[in-house]
Amino acid sequence: MRARSVGAVYDRPRYLIYRMPLLLLLILMQFLFSGCHNNVTSPENTDPEPGVPLTLATERARSIEGLSYDLSFTLAADPAEPLSGRETIRFATKDLSRPLVLDFTPGADYLKSISVGGRPSRYRLVKDHIIIPKEEIASEDNTIEITFRAGDASLNRNPDFMYTLFVPARAHLAFPCFDQPNLKARFALELDAPSNWQAVANGAETFHETSGDRVRIRYAETQPIPTYLFAFAAGKFQVETAERDGRWYRMFHRETDAKKVERNKKAVFDLHASSLEWLEKYTGIPYRFGKFDFVLIPSFQFGGMEHPGSIFYNAASILLEESATQNQMLNRATTIAHETSHMWFGDLVTMQWFNDVWMKEVFANFIAAKIVNPAFPNVNHDLRFLVSHYPAAYSVDRTAGTHPIRQELANLDEAGSLYGAIIYEKAPIVMRQLERILGPDKLQDGLRLYLKQFQFGNATWLDLIKILDERTDLDLTAWSHAWVEEAGRPATRTSIEGDRVSFIQSDPQEGRSLRWTQRMDVLIGTSTAFTPVPLEIQSERAELKIPAGVSKPDAQRKRDSAQPQLWILPTGGGLAYGDFTLDDSTRAFLLQHLPELKDPLTRGAAWVTLWEEVMDRRVPASSFIDLSMHALPREDTEQNVQLVLSYVSDAFWTFLSESQRREIAPQFEQILRSGIDRSNSSSMKATYFSAFRSTVTTPEGIAFLDRVWRKQEKIPGLMLAEPDEAAMALDLAVRSVPAASAILEEQRGRFMNPDRKARFEFVMPALSDRQETRDAWFENLRDLKNRRREPWVLEGLQYLHHPLRAAQSEKYIRPSLDLLVEIQRTGDIFFPTRWMNATLGGHNTRSAADVVRTFLNDHKNYPIRLRRIILQAADELFRAAS
Ligand SMILES: [Zn+2]
């Protein structure tokens, strides 16, 4: 699975309100979190808790064997019509001493019949479970047959299509099963669907019969897979087919722009084929899941999801616009390589439990980088790694809401909250350190052994560390403890003493005194020349001697102002991870000379390090912006332009006062516009244009944007497609231009693509210039059915809480916080984090910060994971408002 990369430069909106009566909230929380359900049927003290508790899962994994599901669903085109299902579950068990527990959330109204071994069962229902008496179960050859109505919550039903999304444990919201990653099963599937629908599942089609307006399709039984990887999609899809190296690939999509499909499809098939070939070589294990299809879904919740034989993608990240940036193309290649890597890392060998979900994600990222890099020889991959991992990892790891890579997880109903930047961005950094320690060959050997030993089964991080520990002298268990099992990052301070540089490491968390072993490439430079010096830090302190040949800041030279200045950048090689406090002279040097550094990676690392210094208030945001404006006209590396524009947009909206913004806006917009004009590549133009669109505030700038949207002015070399036009219309409207409503109305009429049009119509009221309309839009979000299309909700929330509207939207913060428990309960896994980011991202005032602090104070016993999500999302707000 891969998080969606949100393309916009300004994509961290943050805010909502509404006061749920406290008593009601308390009752709700009691209900959700107590785990005590004495009110449901006969209270046996052995009844399992709701969700999928670790205790239940462990018992089942120990006893159940030879598991298979034979499932069939009758699909209806109308999303309101019930879906009926039948299934046969077969298994053996080693435990006859207790009842058998199946997971199923929809409850009694959705269960029609259960028979065990051909006889009606005397089953009981408790919340989230079906309990089958132990007397009905045998040690061998159990057959449970169930007819049911499928729950809709994880079926993503739309008027013309539907798709399953069962990760991490949402299969039992649709049908009865053992919903845990370490009970792998073979799945057979039959679908009965409208005959004008296409359908795709994990297995190859083995039977297809049309009769009247219905079609019946059977799929081959899968290899053993966990419930979270079982999947199908059905609906009005078009299918593209291609052959690569003797293997057939199919791409299902709903794109109406035939040219766009034509323009993209060759690259998309090629990327899959080359990823697959690379992985077969690297792992020494052929692809084990038979056929290979993928489905492009509009507004899919993630960038991709790795169902074997049927990967699902977010359509927008695969079918790129002509204006696609270099970054979008790299992201696409990375997403495809990431999902393909999961066929081995996650699908072939699966984590025992979702606390190790990060493992499959880190390997998919790590491998994806290895696959993608050679295909983009013109890209500086070390810089790309830096830019795509460090800022995002720091954005969580610097906050009071951070957490270890490996977390405890008592129940899968909380699994969604494990995902985030620590798994997706910090863990790959840690993995790269591991590769540094072991060397690439030993790591590959260890991974091959691990995949072979546990194939079609499950394993933990500790199983892998055990295999790898045998291949190094370093104490990997201690290393893993600091980096993987504990939260936060080392604080490191550099200082120059004579001809030596010292690095002092400390633990920012009180009372812990953790030490992180890491290898870094320290850059020691004078003027714009530098020498890289490798350093390993293991304890509180490490020292380096300034190499001969590097000028030293002796007394004579200090007096001579023309003398080149000595600087030390511990992060300069793009490796070191942590909160680095630069020595004063290096900081002063960078604030003046950063743009003159010749190496793009050094510049990128310096930007990332300076931003952390802004966060810790060692560098004022205004100095950072001044430096950016000075640097952008001479920065020619797109990765760095994107990095700087993203920081500077954040600084502009979050850390400047309105008067500071007014002061710099004319010059800033001029720099962005000349960036658009000057750029040679359309992707660089698009990067500048997107930054301009999201930060423009002057009347001249807004008038220019208006002319571009009206197509009265063309930007030479920049293609603007439908999504770009929609974004411009929204950005004009949120600036309350006089014609705002007319612009939105006209934009709505321009859409050719029905999915995009529906999304736009959903978002429109959030941009209304009438407060009542915005209030009503927000109020509607209380109703689950209005939150089903999460990307739409998030886009609307971002505009609702746009910094220009922050004063009017502050009142929505508290009710949004009040809804968070329900958001987690009813939404997909990234939704709580994104909900909070969209809610708080536009705010920077003390009063907004107080709303969040008051909420946290009012809820001392709030679920810890949700508290962390709030603290993460509020971090910049707290810093800006302090
Ligand atoms: Zn993934």
Side-chain angles (χ1 to χ4, degrees), residues 1-3 304-306 338-339 342 360-362 364-365 419 424:
M1 183 166 95
R2 188 157 191 256
M305 180 62 212
E306 67 266 22
H338 177 109
E339 302 308 336
H342 275 314
K360 73 177 177 71
E361 296 310 327
V362 75
N365 271 354
Y419 291 83
Y424 281 102

Side-chain angles (χ1 to χ4, degrees), residues 587-702:
R587 184 180 304 117
F589 172 81
L590 291 177
L591 282 173
Q592 204 160 13
H593 299 290
L594 191 164
E596 296 151 33
L597 298 174
K598 299 247 168 5
D599 176 45
L601 175 65
T602 313
R603 293 198 299 279
W607 282 115
V608 172
T609 309
L610 281 180
W611 181 254
E612 294 307 299
E613 295 237 317
V614 172
M615 293 291 102
D616 289 346
R617 296 177 166 257
R618 293 187 291 269
V619 169
S622 55
S623 308
F624 187 94
I625 294 182
D626 285 346
L627 177 65
S628 309
M629 294 202 292
H630 171 53
L632 282 168
R634 53 172 85 189
E635 179 59 69
D636 53 5
T637 306
E638 189 164 341
Q639 310 267 14
N640 279 335
V641 170
Q642 286 186 330
L643 176 70
V644 174
L645 287 177
S646 142
Y647 279 147
V648 87
S649 306
D650 190 2
F652 180 85
W653 287 119
T654 309
F655 295 99
L656 294 191
S657 65
E658 209 182 315
S659 63
Q660 282 177 310
R661 286 208 288 263
R662 248 199 312 273
E663 200 181 310
I664 69 149
Q667 196 199 345
F668 182 48
E669 288 173 21
Q670 202 42 54
I671 286 169
L672 297 180
R673 282 183 64 176
S674 43
I676 303 171
D677 294 340
R678 193 184 59 248
S679 304
N680 297 322
S681 72
S682 61
S683 59
M684 187 91 115
K685 277 183 196 291
T687 300
Y688 269 109
F689 183 70
S690 149
F692 174 81
R693 178 171 67 59
S694 57
T695 56
V696 61
T697 51
T698 68
E700 300 73 33
I702 294 171

Side-chain angles (χ1 to χ4, degrees), residues 530-551:
F530 62 79
T531 312
V533 184
L535 174 77
E536 180 169 295
I537 186 163
Q538 290 195 354
S539 54
E540 287 82 6
R541 192 183 167 91
E543 269 194 5
L544 279 183
K545 193 169 179 312
I546 296 174
V550 175
S551 335

Side-chain angles (χ1 to χ4, degrees), residues 365-386:
N365 271 354
F366 176 75
I367 300 279
K370 287 185 182 294
I371 294 173
V372 168
N373 295 359
F376 290 80
N378 298 325
V379 171
N380 182 331
H381 293 292
D382 287 338
L383 177 60
R384 173 174 154 72
F385 186 88
L386 177 96

Side-chain angles (χ1 to χ4, degrees), residues 300-358:
F300 187 59
Q301 289 89 331
F302 316 135
M305 180 62 212
E306 67 266 22
H307 312 116
S310 181
I311 298 175
F312 292 176
Y313 290 110
N314 177 35
S317 57
I318 300 297
L319 297 181
L320 302 181
E321 303 295 342
E322 257 181 304
S323 62
T325 62
Q326 176 180 261
N327 218 23
Q328 286 170 317
M329 287 183 243
L330 271 167
N331 273 335
R332 171 173 73 180
T334 303
T335 300
I336 289 171
H338 177 109
E339 302 308 336
T340 309
S341 303
H342 275 314
M343 300 301 128
W344 286 260
F345 297 96
D347 295 5
L348 185 63
V349 179
T350 307
M351 63 272 167
Q352 280 286 356
W353 190 237
F354 265 87
N355 66 325
D356 269 335
V357 68
W358 67 279

